Amino acid sequence: MRASSRACRFARSQLTRPQTSSARSYSVRVSQEHGPTSVSTVSDLLSIDRTLDVRVDGWIKNVRRSATVRFLDISDGSCRAPLQAVVDKHVFNSLPGVGAQFGAAVSLKGTWTPRAKPETAQPGETATFELSVKEMEILGESNAARKYATPESLRRIPHLRMRTPLNNNMLRIRSDVMGILSQFMEKQKFQQTHTPIVTTSDCEGAGETFRVEAGTPKDPFSKKPQYLTVSSQLYLEALAQALGNVWTLSPTFRAEKSDTSRHLSEFYMLEAELSFVDDMDEVMDFIQKLLGAVVGGLQQRSAWKELDDLRLHPKNPEEQQTVADLDSRDILQRRWNGLVHTSRWPRITYTKAIELLQEKGAGFEFPPTWGKGLQSEHERYLAESIGYDQASNSYLPVFITHYPREIKAFYMRQSQASPTQGSVFDCFDLIVPGLGELAGGSMREHRHGLLLENMGPDHRPGEGVLDWYEDLRRWGCPPHGGFGIGFDRLLSYLTGVKSIRDTVPFPRLYGHMHP
């Protein structure tokens, strides 16, 4: 009874406690005299068109001088557009140390007030606001210089490059896409899960794993070899047999000595498993629905709108050069048109793809041959020749299905019908123009005997690191399928940032592991 009484009193206290709509203060703090407010960032403040007494913390992005005042562009990272602060020159010049320079962290107190209208203002034109500063404090000095830097040079200082407008924009888009994915998967009744980073197996069987070593040779941490994961898939399959549909967005590692704009040694993969699915078309349809939802959601987010505005209206030579480093807006429009296209994306078998490549004849460095993997040049040709839809000016992603067993992983389901060239798996890759493979997936081999056949003679039941995975087939394993999407590649494709290295804050790749 006493516990019940306490619970009732607690419930009543929650109902009678005064409610407020105030957001947690971040960089902008509005005077309490104005009452509760949701303004907490520069982005919020820029949308306010009434006078407020505020304190603003942020970084100086530019300083302009006039005879009596200094104009500061202030950013807190919440948006690309800066806030304009007007500081009396005597206040500005009295600051200690090196003063208020580009990159310095500052705290400003003043009034958010309408700017004086220029003589050229049109009747009825809406007034823009600025911060009239009364007090100013340097929170962190800086002696950085503002100038354009190439993407290559910025990669040498990754701990600082996210302060540039484009890289800052990319990080906010990255955050937005993660939020959109979470919302979509929740609506689709998927459970988000976490899978191990340290594993004892190479899921893909390619041998491109990072070895994890701990302890000493005499006293090792583990008697079994340990690796950084190359995929969450096997663990997701175990989770799916308890939860149904599951997904994860987690780091993945490949010790692949590839130094291209499409490869990283540490990257993120969106992986999902769909339970009680026996038709691979269902898995491919789901991927199309998911990617369409990402585009639809991103179009509504401010970070994407700011990047699009940068493309359309670069304001200075620095921004013009930044835009020149990106894929054109026309190309991006074709990609987005394709991702939201209402018709099913094209689907062709690997065997048909080889025939099309061979019909083209010369022009490939690597001759297309049945039984061998598709090279980047092959994927580019197929994506552009099959995927382009002239009527809608769209680049439709292309599914290539049913690859030979010899070049795919053991966990894929054996196909009921195979071409004369050899046996194939029920699997697919999703390719897109300019990038190549964006996603891959398959039906999983749920039949115990056929899984053992796929695993081959090297696997001895009861003696291998994959005994637990084999064991799943003994305990109510239904037909199921799944897929993985390269998250960083997806961001590159969506935004037109040409190198995947510029979609992550600290890129890890062969020969480059700093800081």
Side-chain angles (χ1 to χ4, degrees), residues 300-497:
Q300 308 304 317
R301 301 298 181 102
S302 60
W304 164 252
K305 293 177 182 178
E306 290 171 8
L307 181 59
D308 194 41
D309 182 68
L310 172 65
R311 274 190 167 89
L312 288 170
H313 310 292
K315 295 182 175 64
N316 51 53
E318 179 184 351
E319 290 190 352
Q320 291 171 2
Q321 186 59 56
T322 299
V323 171
D325 293 331
L326 305 173
D327 287 326
S328 73
R329 193 170 185 271
D330 290 341
I331 290 176
L332 215 59
Q333 189 63 57
R334 294 190 195 106
R335 294 177 182 176
W336 283 48
N337 289 346
L339 289 171
V340 298
H341 207 279
T342 55
S343 64
R344 257 189 178 183
W345 295 339
R347 301 173 187 190
I348 65 167
T349 65
Y350 165 89
T351 301
K352 180 62 176 178
I354 292 295
E355 291 175 0
L356 292 173
L357 293 168
Q358 291 175 342
E359 288 173 5
K360 181 181 181 295
F364 295 120
E365 180 181 355
F366 299 93
T369 305
W370 201 98
K372 293 185 178 180
L374 296 177
Q375 300 294 323
S376 297
E377 58 180 344
H378 303 151
E379 291 176 340
R380 280 196 301 270
Y381 173 77
L382 292 169
E384 292 169 4
S385 61
I386 298 174
Y388 181 62
D389 181 68
Q390 189 173 8
S392 61
N393 191 32
S394 303
Y395 285 141
L396 303 178
V398 178
F399 285 106
I400 301 178
T401 67
H402 299 95
Y403 283 75
R405 289 178 57 181
E406 288 73 15
I407 61 174
K408 287 296 182 179
F410 70 91
Y411 52 74
M412 297 180 178
R413 188 176 73 183
Q414 295 183 25
S415 184
Q416 291 184 350
S418 293
T420 56
Q421 293 92 330
S423 298
V424 297
F425 279 145
D426 289 333
C427 62
F428 61 85
D429 284 344
L430 180 66
I431 61 172
V432 292
L435 187 65
E437 182 184 346
L438 180 62
S442 73
M443 299 303 299
R444 316 312 191 190
E445 185 53 83
H446 64 286
R447 298 161 294 188
H448 185 220
L450 294 179
L451 177 65
L452 289 177
E453 182 181 317
N454 289 349
M455 297 174 87
D458 292 337
H459 173 73
R460 297 181 178 86
E463 301 178 17
V465 296
L466 290 174
D467 284 342
W468 67 271
Y469 181 74
E470 175 199 337
D471 201 37
L472 295 175
R473 272 57 183 172
R474 296 190 178 98
W475 302 96
C477 183
H480 61 289
F483 63 88
I485 297 175
F487 183 68
D488 309 296
R489 284 192 178 188
L490 174 60
L491 291 175
S492 174
Y493 189 70
L494 288 172
T495 60
V497 171

Side-chain angles (χ1 to χ4, degrees), residues 179-197:
I180 293 166
L181 287 170
S182 295
Q183 292 173 3
F184 174 83
M185 296 301 269
E186 184 178 14
K187 288 180 180 178
Q188 298 297 316
K189 309 299 182 183
F190 276 69
Q191 304 296 322
Q192 186 172 13
T193 61
H194 295 114
T195 53
I197 300 299

Side-chain angles (χ1 to χ4, degrees), residues 60-63 98 100-104 141-150 153-154 157 160-161 163-165 318:
I60 297 175
K61 294 302 180 182
N62 194 26
V63 179
V98 298
Q101 297 191 39
F102 172 76
E141 293 184 345
S142 172
N143 58 2
R146 178 177 177 175
K147 61 180 181 180
Y148 168 77
T150 65
S153 61
L154 287 172
I157 50 171
L160 297 175
R161 72 170 180 163
R163 303 187 187 192
T164 64
E318 179 184 351

Side-chain angles (χ1 to χ4, degrees), residues 123-320:
E125 185 175 326
T126 303
T128 55
F129 279 62
E130 64 188 8
L131 182 64
S132 178
V133 178
K134 299 173 184 176
E135 299 177 31
M136 182 172 182
E137 179 185 359
I138 302 293
L139 302 178
E141 293 184 345
S142 172
N143 58 2
R146 178 177 177 175
K147 61 180 181 180
Y148 168 77
T150 65
E152 292 78 10
S153 61
L154 287 172
R155 290 181 202 129
R156 293 195 287 269
I157 50 171
H159 59 297
L160 297 175
R161 72 170 180 163
M162 64 273 291
R163 303 187 187 192
T164 64
L166 176 62
N167 285 278
N168 176 284
N169 215 152
M170 283 301 302
L171 291 178
R172 287 186 287 114
I173 288 176
R174 186 182 185 93
S175 176
D176 285 344
V177 174
M178 286 191 288
I180 293 166
L181 287 170
S182 295
Q183 292 173 3
F184 174 83
M185 296 301 269
E186 184 178 14
K187 288 180 180 178
Q188 298 297 316
K189 309 299 182 183
F190 276 69
Q191 304 296 322
Q192 186 172 13
T193 61
H194 295 114
T195 53
I197 300 299
V198 179
T199 71
T200 57
S201 65
D202 175 4
C203 172
E204 299 295 335
E208 298 164 338
T209 56
F210 285 98
R211 179 80 177 265
V212 177
E213 296 183 0
T216 66
K218 292 184 179 180
D219 184 23
F221 184 81
S222 173
K223 294 181 180 180
K224 294 181 178 180
Q226 303 163 96
Y227 310 96
L228 294 180
T229 182
V230 298
S231 173
S232 300
Q233 183 216 307
L234 303 187
Y235 298 103
L236 281 178
E237 287 192 57
L239 289 162
Q241 291 190 35
L243 297 172
N245 296 333
V246 295
W247 77 288
T248 189
L249 179 62
S250 59
T252 303
F253 306 86
R254 302 278 173 91
E256 187 177 358
K257 295 182 178 180
S258 296
D259 188 18
T260 76
S261 62
R262 299 180 297 110
H263 288 89
L264 290 171
S265 297
E266 177 185 343
F267 53 97
Y268 272 73
M269 286 286 288
L270 186 165
E271 297 183 79
E273 290 295 317
L274 289 72
S275 293
F276 301 102
V277 172
D278 199 28
D279 185 351
M280 192 166 68
D281 281 332
E282 204 171 322
V283 181
M284 292 187 284
D285 287 342
F286 185 82
I287 293 176
Q288 181 170 351
K289 185 176 182 180
L290 182 152
L291 293 177
V294 169
V295 170
L298 196 55
Q299 286 176 326
Q300 308 304 317
R301 301 298 181 102
S302 60
W304 164 252
K305 293 177 182 178
E306 290 171 8
L307 181 59
D308 194 41
D309 182 68
L310 172 65
R311 274 190 167 89
L312 288 170
H313 310 292
K315 295 182 175 64
N316 51 53
E318 179 184 351
E319 290 190 352
Q320 291 171 2

